[in-house]
Amino acid sequence: QGSSTTSAHRVRACCQLMSAVPVSKAELEFTLQALRSEGVRVDGRALTACRRVGIRFGAAHGEVEVTFGPTRVLAVCTGEIVVPPLERPNEGRIAFHVDFGPIASPSFDVGRPSVHATTVANLIERLIKGSRAVDSEALCVVGGQKVWSIRVDIRALDDDGNLSDACAVAALCSLLHFRKADVDVRGDTASSFSAEERVPIPLSIHHLPVPVTVALFSAASNSGKPSMEPTWILDPNRLEETAMDGCLCIAVNQHGELCGIHKPGGMPIDFAVIKHCTELATVRAKELTARIQTELEADMARRQEIRRNVHQQFSEAQLLTVEVRSAIARKSRASNSSLPGGRLLKTEVLSAQEGGAIDSAGGMPKPEDEYAAQYIEAELEAVAAEAAELEAQLAAAESAEMAEVASASHSASASNARVVAVRRGRKKRRST
């Protein structure tokens, strides 16, 4: 009894250090009394109810943001080709890095990983790599020379409890969403292709081990001896994590198979409680995996639609409609003033419609397609008039040029006749 009480106090002290804002003693007592006596949680949820889960994928492959209520986590997956170690020449690398900074909680330090972050990183690594969720041999490019090195960076953005589950789900979604470049191997050489050249390839993932955390609370002791039936809740928030006497993390995949159990100290519990929590974790894991698959399929369909409409850069909702009827009327008036003979086009209709006039035939305003048709007709007439004027100018220029050529040729023939007559006179005088 003394050892269990001491371990419970240690877990509670650690949770108080990890909380975002210092919690008062009155809040702790109120939370514990509501759970133990009335079975009510401070946020109004049922004991087995979880907060709303949000999954939003980024523009690049491998970027995902996961929310558990107010708790937010960002995960980014990247990959590069490296030289494998000598002890495992045919297996790729998978590394997880968790960062809990002051952006998520004032209690987290800047520049160095906290104990909580290191614990969560080790838990995710044991959960994914220990259960063989990702095929590491499929990451080999050339045996003993080149393998893929996958790195998942997880950063906490807001801490309102249950950061470990949020980080693990974000890491799984990032691995599922990530695409590695296609590699062509010829002999001992390998060449990678960009996303524009070849479609990237997803990772080989066998199953999805989803962790489900259960917060444990010891029952109130009336006779001086603690009861062996504790109170437990799913998805604890920050206040409940601070007041809990221990926690139990159960990982189950989408097939209902148990992948791992993690209990970092705290109060002792019976095997029946573990069995009951495992059944609840199985239902919760199937719900989360179904939600992840749904979001992945929606993101894939959206990317395929963008790839199909490669020439359409903007959607209809992003386009801005601008009224241009006044500008059309001004332009048509300017074209009317430049026409020869003062002939007017159908700009009066446009100006009348711009000012709110109605059609004389039907008495109703004309639609915008009629405005466009009238504007096109006016433009065509203006172009025809300009073409006729240019043709007339060209004909006058050609006639003037022909007259000049004729006069020049006549004068040239007369001068030639005078020259011939003078030469003949000179010959006669010389002969005489």
Side-chain angles (χ1 to χ4, degrees):
Q1 179 180 354
S3 62
S4 62
T5 306
T6 304
S7 61
H9 285 302
R10 289 177 180 175
V11 171
R12 184 173 299 176
C14 293
C15 293
Q16 288 177 355
L17 291 175
M18 292 186 296
S19 60
V21 181
V23 181
S24 63
K25 186 178 180 180
E27 291 178 330
L28 293 177
E29 292 179 354
F30 176 78
T31 303
L32 293 174
Q33 183 179 1
L35 284 173
R36 290 170 177 171
S37 60
E38 301 179 6
V40 179
R41 304 175 70 169
V42 291
D43 53 2
R45 288 182 291 159
L47 298 182
T48 59
C50 300
R51 293 172 292 183
R52 180 177 298 177
V53 178
I55 301 174
R56 185 169 63 89
F57 294 101
H61 285 290
E63 295 181 0
V64 62
E65 180 180 340
V66 176
T67 59
F68 278 21
T71 302
R72 278 195 311 142
V73 174
L74 175 66
V76 178
C77 182
T78 56
E80 60 177 351
I81 298 178
V82 298
V83 179
L86 297 177
E87 58 272 13
R88 292 183 177 179
N90 297 325
E91 294 184 4
R93 298 179 180 178
I94 304 176
F96 300 92
H97 299 270
V98 180
D99 183 19
F100 291 167
I103 188 176
S105 171
S107 61
F108 297 139
D109 297 331
V110 182
R112 59 178 183 179
S114 62
V115 179
H116 191 194
T118 305
T119 303
V120 172
N122 294 335
L123 174 62
I124 295 174
E125 187 171 359
R126 292 196 307 267
L127 182 65
I128 297 178
K129 296 178 65 175
S131 62
R132 302 286 183 177
V134 181
D135 189 0
S136 58
E137 294 183 356
L139 300 175
C140 179
V141 180
V142 180
Q145 297 182 9
K146 294 181 180 180
V147 296
W148 279 99
S149 176
I150 306 299
R151 175 189 174 102
V152 182
D153 293 291
I154 307 166
R155 179 180 293 271
L157 302 179
D158 289 318
D159 179 19
D160 191 45
N162 203 10
L163 265 180
S164 59
D165 287 5
C167 291
V169 172
L172 286 173
C173 294
S174 181
L175 289 173
L176 287 170
H177 192 248
F178 176 71
R179 297 293 186 272
K180 61 181 180 179
D182 191 8
V183 180
D184 187 11
V185 180
R186 295 183 180 180
D188 294 339
T189 61
S191 57
S192 60
F193 299 90
S194 61
E196 291 77 12
E197 296 173 346
R198 290 188 183 181
V199 180
I201 303 173
L203 299 178
S204 178
I205 300 177
H206 300 301
H207 61 96
L208 303 176
V210 177
V212 179
T213 299
V214 179
L216 304 174
F217 298 88
S218 60
S221 56
N222 298 327
S223 60
K225 295 183 180 180
S227 175
M228 295 302 295
E229 296 181 358
T231 303
W232 43 267
I233 58 175
L234 290 177
D235 190 17
N237 58 16
R238 180 184 59 85
L239 184 59
E240 293 167 347
E241 279 187 346
T242 307
M244 69 182 181
D245 297 320
C247 65
L248 175 66
C249 181
I250 302 174
V252 184
N253 61 10
Q254 69 270 28
H255 307 295
E257 300 171 349
L258 181 63
C259 300
I261 295 178
H262 177 66
K263 189 176 184 305
M267 58 173 293
I269 56 176
D270 192 19
F271 182 76
V273 177
I274 297 177
K275 185 177 180 180
H276 187 63
C277 292
T278 304
E279 295 176 356
L280 293 176
T282 302
V283 178
R284 172 65 175 171
K286 290 183 179 180
E287 294 177 357
L288 284 177
T289 52
R291 176 67 183 279
I292 292 172
Q293 294 294 340
T294 302
E295 295 294 336
L296 283 172
E297 292 175 359
D299 181 78
M300 186 180 300
R302 183 169 57 252
R303 290 177 181 273
Q304 290 179 355
E305 187 69 21
I306 294 174
R307 192 183 300 112
R308 185 180 298 110
N309 300 332
V310 65
H311 299 292
Q312 183 179 359
Q313 297 182 358
F314 304 99
S315 62
E316 294 294 336
Q318 295 175 342
L319 296 178
L320 177 63
T321 303
V322 180
E323 191 68 31
V324 295
R325 277 182 285 180
S326 58
I328 293 174
R330 288 195 299 269
K331 189 172 182 181
S332 60
R333 291 193 194 103
S335 62
N336 289 336
S337 61
S338 63
L339 290 178
R343 186 163 55 89
L344 297 179
L345 298 179
K346 298 180 180 180
T347 55
E348 292 81 0
V349 180
L350 286 173
S351 60
Q353 288 169 349
E354 178 187 355
I358 61 176
D359 189 7
S360 60
M364 296 296 293
K366 291 189 176 182
E368 296 182 357
D369 55 352
E370 295 187 6
Y371 299 157
Q374 293 173 1
Y375 170 67
I376 293 173
E377 183 181 355
E379 289 290 330
L380 291 176
E381 292 183 2
V383 171
E386 291 178 0
E389 185 178 0
L390 289 175
E391 288 180 358
Q393 293 177 0
L394 288 175
E398 288 179 358
S399 62
E401 185 178 358
M402 292 296 293
E404 291 178 359
V405 170
S407 62
S409 61
H410 180 69
S411 61
S413 61
S415 61
N416 291 334
R418 292 194 204 99
V419 171
V420 170
V422 171
R423 288 180 179 178
R424 288 179 179 176
R426 288 178 182 176
K427 287 182 180 181
K428 287 181 181 179
R429 286 195 295 271
R430 287 176 184 176
S431 63
T432 305

